[in-house]
Amino acid sequence: MSIFLKKKGIYTQLNYKLLLYCSILMVVFFGVNFGIEFATDTYSTFGEADTWKWMLYENGRVLNALVYYLFELLHVPGGYIYKLSYLTALFFGVLSSYLFASPLLFFIKKEWVASFVAFLTILNFYVIEYFLFIEKGLFLIAIFFCVAAFRLTLEYLKNKKLLYLLPSLFCLLMAVFMYQTMLGLFVVLCLPFIAYYSKSIKEFFSFNLIVALLYGIPMGIGFFITNVILGSDRVGDPSFQLSNISSVFQSILNISINRWTVVPAYTFLLFFLLCCCLFLMTILYGSKENKEKNGINILLFLYIILGTYFVSFFPQLTGISSLYLPRVIYPYGAVFGILLTYCILAGKNEFQNRAALYYSLCFILLALSCSQYLSFQSVFIDRYRCNQSDYYYCQILSYQIEKYEQESGNTIDTICFYNDQNVLWWERGYDESTLNTRAQSCGWSNLTSINHYLEKNYVKGDPQPEYEEYFNQYDWGTYSEEQLIFEENILHLCVY
């Protein structure tokens, strides 16, 4: 079944089978996230007014701030916001996967292979952190804009018509107003197709320059709005130094070899080597026509690898960001899908004609899918367990507060927060991925999480120096009744 859509000269065959595969993958990998879960930001989003100002002036995400403002204006309940955001994320995740998968069908006539390659490229290991925030729907819309910009740019690479570049630039501007560092995905998606469609060295450099401009212009506009107009310090000042190269190189080695957030140790290295082996098989066992291009294909394969690393870690290289969180280096997670994409492009028709190549590709896709699936489910389960731990802690506080109020006749309306010597950011047992921060560890969620779970309206008081000095003598590491000191209508609470 298929229909044809015509818009601005672009003919797109809507493949329902491909769409079905992308939808099934999305539900299988992210279906468990349907139940509401709380990041530390979510507690403050649901419990405080004017969160849109924080989103705008602190983060510089203009479109996100607008959406936050509208929800606050309409007084939409938090549960409805979560469900709407979740469904939006699923919809645009499917759409993004489909948009990247559809041009692959020209090179490999297997819908399931194209859908898996696209899904593992767009919804890669590092996309998981986007799903752990309340604005997961907005993040996936931003990803969709990047993929849409890629599809428009792909039409330019194929047809050399400039009319595709302006709407591509518009899509990237929309993406940068949602999440600045995500634009690297657009460049990474373009790399294998630049390599494939370049018919000369001049054309190769021309294509790279155009893609670089499409990336650089929105990034520059986003940087100007965030830093200059909004005055946010979320994005650092550019300061390219030689020391940045050494630091980034060490970080890449650590991220790619050791266990890091959702990825077990040696997983990235293993799949990188498998992709390289598949590429070598593709050029060694390819047709005579393809073998004549082996030298060029090897150089282009290296170009894609280096380009992916450079773009993914560009914010760290330039000093714009010093963070290596999954959401910041998300484009790097696409490396396996991009390498597999170029294997398919470089070995056009080879995967249909040679069973060894086809089954090797299938093995890599299935192994990568299983690894990613298990990692995702582990993180989601830990998130719900972490929320349950936060809830249980609040119930303990509720019991102690009620006990004090009954004995003293006072009513607690204010909570002052303190820290012991070492605050636990992750509850023991939920710290493997370091993505599930406990609510009490953050100043923006310690009070709002208590108010949410206990359905109270406590206010935050100013810490008293004598209590700060007292609590700083201890390092509990777990809950203790000694962490609570009641004084008339105030609870002095130490976070362990």
Side-chain angles (χ1 to χ4, degrees):
M1 293 178 62
S2 64
I3 62 174
F4 289 87
L5 305 176
K6 180 181 179 183
K7 187 176 182 181
K8 294 184 179 180
I10 303 175
Y11 289 87
T12 304
Q13 185 178 18
L14 184 56
N15 188 309
Y16 287 103
K17 194 173 181 180
L18 186 65
L19 190 62
L20 177 62
Y21 283 132
C22 291
S23 301
I24 292 173
L25 286 171
M26 199 71 193
V27 172
V28 168
F29 276 73
F30 298 102
V32 71
N33 198 218
F34 178 74
I36 188 169
E37 38 82 10
F38 290 85
T40 56
D41 293 355
T42 311
Y43 292 116
S44 55
T45 298
F46 289 175
E48 297 177 352
D50 294 335
T51 306
W52 66 271
K53 293 181 180 179
W54 171 78
M55 184 61 65
L56 180 64
Y57 295 107
E58 176 66 22
N59 293 316
R61 301 172 197 166
V62 179
L63 294 180
N64 294 21
L66 177 61
V67 173
Y68 272 61
Y69 175 76
L70 291 175
F71 279 136
E72 289 183 23
L73 186 67
L74 298 172
H75 302 289
V76 180
Y80 288 103
I81 294 175
Y82 183 90
K83 297 298 183 185
L84 180 60
S85 181
Y86 171 78
L87 293 174
T88 301
L90 288 191
F91 177 78
F92 281 97
V94 171
L95 202 55
S96 299
S97 298
Y98 178 85
L99 279 180
F100 188 68
S102 53
L104 295 180
L105 288 178
F106 178 74
F107 301 91
I108 187 166
K109 310 299 181 183
K110 298 285 187 180
E111 281 90 351
W112 84 267
V113 172
S115 61
F116 266 75
V117 171
F119 182 87
L120 296 171
T121 304
I122 308 300
L123 284 306
N124 60 63
F125 274 106
Y126 296 153
V127 82
I128 185 66
E129 194 173 17
Y130 294 141
F131 276 85
L132 297 178
F133 289 95
I134 186 64
E135 63 264 40
K136 52 177 67 70
L138 295 173
F139 285 134
L140 269 291
I141 292 175
I143 289 176
F144 166 76
F145 276 126
C146 290
V147 180
F150 152 75
R151 282 300 304 271
L152 289 161
T153 305
L154 177 60
E155 294 300 322
Y156 167 77
L157 298 178
K158 290 159 58 177
N159 303 312
K160 315 299 186 298
K161 293 182 179 180
L162 294 174
L163 65 91
Y164 295 109
L165 298 183
L166 189 59
S168 177
L169 183 63
F170 171 80
C171 289
L172 293 173
L173 277 171
M174 293 299 100
V176 84
F177 290 151
M178 290 183 164
Y179 198 76
Q180 294 89 337
T181 60
M182 195 178 287
L183 258 63
L185 176 68
F186 160 74
V187 180
V188 171
L189 296 181
C190 289
L191 293 178
F193 293 90
I194 290 175
Y196 180 80
Y197 284 107
S198 296
K199 303 306 179 185
S200 65
I201 295 178
K202 180 181 178 181
E203 203 167 60
F204 175 77
F205 283 105
S206 173
F207 287 164
N208 276 280
L209 178 60
I210 288 171
V211 170
L213 288 172
L214 288 172
Y215 170 80
I217 292 172
M219 283 290 284
I221 293 173
F223 178 82
F224 179 78
I225 291 175
T226 302
N227 273 38
V228 179
I229 296 180
L230 299 175
S232 170
D233 58 359
R234 190 78 171 188
V235 179
D237 294 324
S239 57
F240 183 80
Q241 301 174 4
L242 291 177
S243 59
N244 291 356
I245 298 176
S246 174
S247 175
V248 170
F249 181 73
Q250 292 296 325
S251 297
I252 290 173
L253 288 179
N254 180 48
I255 290 168
S256 304
I257 297 175
N258 301 321
R259 177 175 182 88
W260 188 75
T261 62
V262 300
V263 187
Y266 303 108
T267 300
F268 254 63
L269 179 63
L270 173 62
F271 284 112
F272 177 79
L273 294 176
L274 287 175
C275 290
C276 291
C277 290
L278 180 64
F279 173 73
L280 291 176
M281 290 175 61
T282 303
I283 62 175
L284 290 176
Y285 297 103
S287 62
K288 181 179 179 181
E289 179 184 355
N290 284 340
K291 284 183 178 180
E292 294 174 354
K293 303 177 182 178
N294 281 356
I296 295 175
N297 282 333
I298 291 174
L299 289 176
L300 291 174
F301 191 73
L302 292 174
Y303 151 78
I304 292 168
I305 293 173
L306 294 176
T308 300
Y309 279 94
F310 177 76
V311 172
S312 301
F313 295 93
F314 180 76
Q316 290 78 15
L317 282 168
T318 56
I320 293 175
S321 175
S322 59
L323 300 176
Y324 289 89
L325 298 170
R327 65 181 183 271
V328 178
I329 62 168
Y330 158 70
Y332 178 50
V335 62
F336 309 125
I338 289 302
L339 295 181
L340 294 176
T341 296
Y342 188 65
C343 288
I344 292 171
L345 268 60
K348 182 183 177 184
N349 299 323
E350 301 295 349
F351 288 90
Q352 277 76 241
N353 301 329
R354 297 186 181 274
L357 288 178
Y358 176 72
Y359 288 119
S360 296
L361 174 62
C362 294
F363 170 77
I364 294 175
L365 288 174
L366 293 176
L368 184 57
S369 299
C370 290
S371 177
Q372 189 167 307
Y373 174 81
L374 292 174
S375 295
F376 282 8
Q377 305 316 301
S378 175
V379 172
F380 284 139
I381 291 171
D382 276 356
R383 166 53 59 86
Y384 289 114
R385 292 171 64 206
C386 181
N387 289 167
Q388 185 65 30
S389 178
D390 289 336
Y391 171 78
Y392 181 61
Y393 177 80
C394 292
Q395 294 301 311
I396 294 175
L397 294 182
S398 176
Y399 170 77
Q400 296 293 346
I401 291 172
E402 289 179 5
K403 180 181 176 182
Y404 166 76
E405 290 177 337
Q406 290 173 1
E407 293 176 352
S408 67
N410 296 320
T411 300
I412 295 297
D413 56 24
T414 303
I415 302 178
C416 299
F417 290 90
Y418 306 83
N419 296 333
D420 68 5
Q421 292 178 8
N422 295 293
V423 173
L424 294 180
W425 281 84
W426 306 282
E427 198 72 62
R428 289 184 176 88
Y430 313 140
D431 55 352
E432 191 173 35
S433 70
T434 68
L435 294 178
N436 292 311
T437 307
R438 55 189 291 254
Q440 288 299 302
S441 67
C442 302
W444 56 83
S445 59
N446 49 20
L447 179 68
T448 49
S449 62
I450 293 172
N451 283 338
H452 172 79
Y453 286 126
L454 302 185
E455 298 182 351
K456 299 290 186 178
N457 290 300
Y458 297 124
V459 297
K460 185 175 290 189
D462 296 325
Q464 301 301 308
E466 60 270 23
Y467 288 121
E468 286 182 322
E469 184 178 352
Y470 168 73
F471 285 127
N472 196 245
Q473 302 175 72
Y474 297 95
D475 184 14
W476 280 287
T478 188
Y479 169 77
S480 169
E481 289 188 14
E482 296 176 353
Q483 295 158 5
L484 287 75
I485 297 178
F486 293 97
E487 186 178 39
E488 297 181 348
N489 67 322
I490 300 174
L491 166 60
H492 298 279
L493 176 62
C494 182
V495 177
Y496 61 87

